[in-house]
Amino acid sequence: MTRRPDRRATQRDAKVLVVDDEPDIRELLELTLAKMGLGVDAVGSIAEAKERLQGASYDLCLTDMRLGDGEGLELVRHITTLAADLPVAVITAYGSADNAVAALKAGAFDYVSKPVGLEQLRALVKSALSLPERTEAAGRQLLGTSAPRARGTPRAASSSARAPRSRRCAS
């Protein structure tokens, strides 16, 4: 699968892969995303999605959790093994905390329960398209560059160091 050079695609040139085995939902997502100015490829199975991923570049993948030929998590794992910088959002009518955790552990960018509201979909797409490339983010440090503190070295004055209390004398 080939990727676009700049992960932060504008909505005008962004392309989304929609994977859902329900034709009505697939068509609704396709129409909604197209109205947002996005290019859309919509397929009904994991096999079709894998085929599309071989020959096209995408900026976002929306997949149903339960598909006719397997679980959406299988597709999430497949995309992760491709080392593709492609955010995948899992959309499901069978939402649960366990499923959400499983999806995120498999590498999903987001997990959303059906029905998905228009504003929720817009926010998800906007967030996914503004993610920096993983390779770009991996090169940046999250914290400063100071050397680690050696063991036994006293810390700077902290809130835990208290001044001695004054004592009252009983008279």
Side-chain angles (χ1 to χ4, degrees), residues 3-4 12 50 93 108 125 129 147-148:
R3 288 294 306 135
R4 295 178 194 274
R12 293 203 189 284
K50 287 179 177 180
V125 169
L129 295 181

Short mmCIF file of all heavy atoms in Angstrom, two decimals, residues 3-4 12 50 93 108 125 129 147-148:
data_model
loop_
_atom_site.label_atom_id
_atom_site.label_comp_id
_atom_site.label_asym_id
_atom_site.label_seq_id
_atom_site.Cartn_x
_atom_site.Cartn_y
_atom_site.Cartn_z
N ARG A 3 1.47 5.38 0.38
CA ARG A 3 0.95 6.45 1.23
C ARG A 3 1.26 7.78 0.59
O ARG A 3 2.22 7.94 -0.14
CB ARG A 3 1.60 6.42 2.62
CG ARG A 3 1.16 5.28 3.47
CD ARG A 3 -0.30 5.33 3.86
NE ARG A 3 -0.61 6.58 4.48
CZ ARG A 3 -1.69 7.30 4.21
NH1 ARG A 3 -2.57 6.90 3.33
NH2 ARG A 3 -1.91 8.43 4.82
N ARG A 4 0.46 8.75 0.93
CA ARG A 4 0.71 10.10 0.49
C ARG A 4 1.90 10.66 1.26
O ARG A 4 2.08 10.32 2.42
CB ARG A 4 -0.52 10.97 0.78
CG ARG A 4 -1.73 10.56 -0.01
CD ARG A 4 -2.90 11.46 0.37
NE ARG A 4 -4.15 10.91 -0.11
CZ ARG A 4 -4.64 11.11 -1.31
NH1 ARG A 4 -3.98 11.83 -2.17
NH2 ARG A 4 -5.79 10.59 -1.67
N ARG A 12 -9.94 18.25 0.80
CA ARG A 12 -10.20 18.21 -0.64
C ARG A 12 -9.49 17.05 -1.34
O ARG A 12 -10.00 16.50 -2.29
CB ARG A 12 -9.80 19.52 -1.30
CG ARG A 12 -10.66 20.67 -0.85
CD ARG A 12 -10.62 21.77 -1.90
NE ARG A 12 -11.26 22.98 -1.44
CZ ARG A 12 -12.55 23.17 -1.36
NH1 ARG A 12 -13.37 22.21 -1.68
NH2 ARG A 12 -13.05 24.31 -0.94
N LYS A 50 -8.82 -5.36 1.81
CA LYS A 50 -7.41 -5.72 1.65
C LYS A 50 -6.98 -5.53 0.20
O LYS A 50 -5.86 -5.09 -0.07
CB LYS A 50 -7.17 -7.16 2.10
CG LYS A 50 -7.21 -7.31 3.61
CD LYS A 50 -6.99 -8.77 4.01
CE LYS A 50 -6.97 -8.94 5.51
NZ LYS A 50 -6.75 -10.36 5.91
N ALA A 93 -22.31 -1.36 16.00
CA ALA A 93 -23.60 -1.33 16.68
C ALA A 93 -23.53 -2.14 17.96
O ALA A 93 -24.46 -2.14 18.76
CB ALA A 93 -24.68 -1.91 15.76
N ALA A 108 -6.42 0.63 16.49
CA ALA A 108 -7.43 1.55 15.98
C ALA A 108 -7.19 2.96 16.52
O ALA A 108 -6.74 3.14 17.66
CB ALA A 108 -8.83 1.08 16.37
N VAL A 125 -13.31 12.63 11.50
CA VAL A 125 -12.57 12.81 10.25
C VAL A 125 -11.55 13.94 10.39
O VAL A 125 -10.39 13.79 10.02
CB VAL A 125 -13.54 13.08 9.07
CG1 VAL A 125 -12.78 13.53 7.83
CG2 VAL A 125 -14.36 11.84 8.77
N LEU A 129 -7.51 13.38 10.05
CA LEU A 129 -6.75 14.01 8.97
C LEU A 129 -5.71 15.00 9.48
O LEU A 129 -4.82 15.38 8.73
CB LEU A 129 -7.71 14.72 7.99
CG LEU A 129 -8.65 13.79 7.23
CD1 LEU A 129 -9.53 14.60 6.27
CD2 LEU A 129 -7.91 12.70 6.50
N ALA A 147 19.81 15.85 31.63
CA ALA A 147 20.32 14.54 32.01
C ALA A 147 19.52 13.98 33.17
O ALA A 147 19.02 14.74 34.00
CB ALA A 147 21.80 14.67 32.40
N PRO A 148 19.40 12.66 33.24
CA PRO A 148 18.67 12.09 34.36
C PRO A 148 19.38 12.38 35.68
O PRO A 148 20.60 12.49 35.72
CB PRO A 148 18.67 10.59 34.07
CG PRO A 148 19.44 10.37 32.84
CD PRO A 148 19.89 11.68 32.31
#
